[in-house]
Amino acid sequence: METEKSLMVRLFGARMLPMWLAVLLLAGCDNSSGQTKAERSAPPPPEVGVVEVQPQRVNLSMELPGRTAAYRISEVRPQVTGILQERLFEQGAQVKAGEVLYQIDPNRYRAAHQRAQAELERAQAELRQAQREWARTSDLFEKNAVSKRQRDEALSALEAARADVSRSQAMLETAGIELAYTEVKAPIAGRIGPTLYTEGALVTANQPQILARVVQLDPMYVDIQLPVEKLARIRSSLKEGAASEAGPNEAETVLLREDGTPYPHKGRVDVTDVTVNQSTSSVTVRAVFPNPDEDLLPGMYVRVRLSEGVRENAILAPQQGVSRNPQGEATALLVNPEGEVVARQLEAERAIGAFWLVEKGLEPGDRLIVSGLQKVRPGAKVKPVAADIPLHPTQNQQASGTNSPKKNASDEEGPAQ
């Protein structure tokens, strides 16, 4: 019995010996390569999407809300009292300056004008008589035929006749003006609104109720509420010589309609208020835009893009690659030449479409991580791959401000053309 057990042990050992030798051989090969078990089981470095930061030329601008206002508004009022005989315009039509709009009954004023004309003729006749009387009295006085008192009376009569003529001329001119006022004319050129009076209505001089309103729509004003600090920023940029298509020391203005589409005509800043609104800490900036097709009407809500000029070698960072720490500071993760993740603090307070304008913290050639951020931390090894995202703001982002953070919703910039 013992002999059979020994025989089985020897047979089993003989069979297992090659297998143990193979295991030892493999272990020897693994150890010979110098790798530990932990090293062999470690996963490969994670992939992260990066963009290489490069300087570019951008137009700096800001978008602000505004309201359109008519270039000129004139209220048509009667300047004499009378009955309206006729309306001589089509409501809503374009009228010219000096065009007759209403006709007031002129009969009474025509008669007053004729009476004033007759008064002038009478005064002129009396003046001629006074001149003849003065000439005769002067000759007789030189011959000592009349007294000095008679000569003085003749001179006084002459001067009074001259005064009567001047008064009659003024009365005639006044009557002529009142007669002309029976034709109510357009004071300016523009589009006239609806009439508030019809034929047969009694109107009075200087009445508070207007007859109609004439509005000049071309060009058109746009009133913009600009914060004081942004006004100082624009002036500083222009003073430093930043290029502008509008001209030296003049901010270019582009108008955007309510749907975000740009208005085809560019404007210019006409005047800036010198008083700051204490409740909003802003000033009113008035821009002028051509309006040949009358697409703009008074009272419309629009947005205006004010140009601050062009900045050369600006650094733009995609917003998905920039985050904010609890203190509100901008931070980003980059990949260094050794393939390690490094953290960087940035100065980025202005949005340009879907990008941040970085003042400090990034240099040309830096590889900014824009995707896979949740998988890495500073000091980790990563495999950088080029991210498939645009490196320049699009025209749509410039116009509509898409992807811009709420903090800087009023700041919009775009690439220089």
Side-chain angles (χ1 to χ4, degrees):
M1 190 71 180
E2 186 68 29
T3 304
E4 291 179 358
K5 186 183 293 186
S6 302
L7 182 59
M8 291 178 65
V9 169
R10 285 197 298 272
L11 289 174
F12 181 77
R15 291 178 180 178
M16 294 297 296
L17 182 59
M19 295 177 63
W20 284 106
L21 289 175
V23 171
L24 291 173
L25 223 79
L26 288 172
C29 291
D30 288 345
N31 290 333
S32 64
S33 65
Q35 293 181 346
T36 64
K37 183 177 181 181
E39 290 175 340
R40 292 194 305 273
S41 61
E47 288 188 356
V48 292
V50 299
V51 293
E52 185 173 335
V53 177
Q54 295 296 337
Q56 52 186 296
R57 187 173 185 264
V58 295
N59 285 327
L60 301 184
S61 61
M62 62 180 69
E63 277 191 18
L64 296 164
R67 286 282 182 184
T68 57
Y71 191 75
R72 287 196 296 177
I73 299 178
S74 178
E75 296 179 341
V76 181
R77 283 188 171 88
Q79 299 187 61
V80 293
T81 300
I83 301 296
L84 283 182
Q85 284 187 331
E86 190 177 5
R87 173 171 60 86
L88 303 172
F89 67 91
E90 292 293 332
Q91 300 179 75
Q94 190 78 20
V95 297
K96 299 178 181 180
E99 181 178 341
V100 179
L101 304 178
Y102 298 92
Q103 178 64 61
I104 298 175
D105 183 7
N107 293 329
R108 179 162 63 98
Y109 297 97
R110 186 179 295 115
H113 183 268
Q114 292 173 352
R115 184 168 60 250
Q117 180 67 42
E119 281 291 325
L120 175 60
E121 292 174 355
R122 183 191 63 79
Q124 291 173 340
E126 291 181 354
L127 174 60
R128 290 192 292 271
Q129 176 60 29
Q131 289 173 339
R132 289 193 293 269
E133 186 65 26
W134 165 250
R136 286 195 300 269
T137 304
S138 298
D139 291 341
L140 293 173
F141 179 78
E142 291 177 358
K143 298 176 181 178
N144 295 323
V146 296
S147 65
K148 182 178 180 181
R149 179 180 177 180
Q150 290 175 315
R151 187 197 65 174
D152 293 342
E153 289 176 351
L155 179 60
S156 297
L158 175 61
E159 292 174 347
R162 288 173 179 169
D164 286 342
V165 170
S166 298
R167 183 185 61 184
S168 298
Q169 288 176 339
M171 293 177 62
L172 178 63
E173 185 176 354
T174 300
I177 292 174
E178 291 181 343
L179 178 61
Y181 280 162
T182 59
E183 292 183 342
V184 182
K185 300 179 180 180
I188 62 172
R191 192 165 295 279
I192 191 167
T195 181
L196 303 180
Y197 283 80
T198 59
E199 293 84 352
L202 174 65
V203 296
T204 59
N206 302 319
Q207 65 182 32
Q209 185 70 31
I210 65 173
L211 301 180
R213 181 180 286 108
V214 180
V215 180
Q216 181 178 342
L217 300 177
D218 184 24
M220 178 68 70
Y221 281 133
V222 176
D223 293 332
I224 311 160
Q225 297 300 317
L226 180 64
V228 176
E229 64 274 9
K230 292 186 178 181
L231 176 63
R233 196 167 74 190
I234 291 178
R235 287 177 172 174
S236 176
S237 298
L238 296 175
K239 187 176 181 180
E240 291 173 0
S244 173
E245 296 181 3
N249 298 324
E250 188 172 349
E252 179 185 341
T253 57
V254 177
L255 186 145
L256 305 175
R257 296 187 178 95
E258 291 185 1
D259 58 359
T261 57
Y263 184 65
H265 304 284
K266 292 184 179 180
R268 59 177 178 83
V269 174
D270 184 61
V271 65
T272 301
D273 197 358
V274 295
T275 304
V276 178
N277 188 320
Q278 296 182 3
S279 60
T280 61
S281 187
S282 62
V283 296
T284 300
V285 176
R286 171 162 281 185
V288 181
F289 286 85
N291 191 28
D293 300 324
E294 297 184 356
D295 294 333
L296 302 178
L297 298 176
M300 293 176 62
Y301 172 81
V302 294
R303 294 189 68 83
V304 178
R305 182 181 298 145
L306 293 179
S307 174
E308 302 176 46
V310 177
R311 179 176 295 187
E312 305 288 347
N313 301 321
I315 298 295
L316 298 182
Q319 290 186 6
Q320 57 264 46
V322 179
S323 59
R324 298 277 173 175
N325 60 21
Q327 290 74 35
E329 300 169 335
T331 61
L333 296 179
L334 292 82
V335 179
N336 64 13
E338 290 74 26
E340 296 179 350
V341 178
V342 294
R344 192 78 60 80
Q345 185 171 327
L346 312 178
E347 287 188 12
E349 299 298 331
R350 300 183 62 182
I352 303 179
F355 295 80
W356 286 107
L357 176 63
V358 180
E359 302 290 349
K360 292 182 181 180
L362 290 180
E363 299 294 336
D366 284 346
R367 292 183 293 177
L368 177 67
I369 301 177
V370 295
S371 63
L373 291 165
Q374 68 279 5
K375 301 183 295 184
V376 298
R377 65 181 185 275
K381 285 279 188 177
V382 294
K383 179 182 178 182
V385 295
D388 187 17
I389 63 172
L391 299 180
H392 303 276
T394 64
Q395 294 295 333
N396 290 335
Q397 289 172 340
Q398 295 177 59
S400 61
T402 56
N403 298 328
S404 295
K406 293 182 179 179
K407 179 179 179 181
N408 294 283
S410 63
D411 288 345
E412 296 297 332
E413 292 84 11
Q417 300 299 322

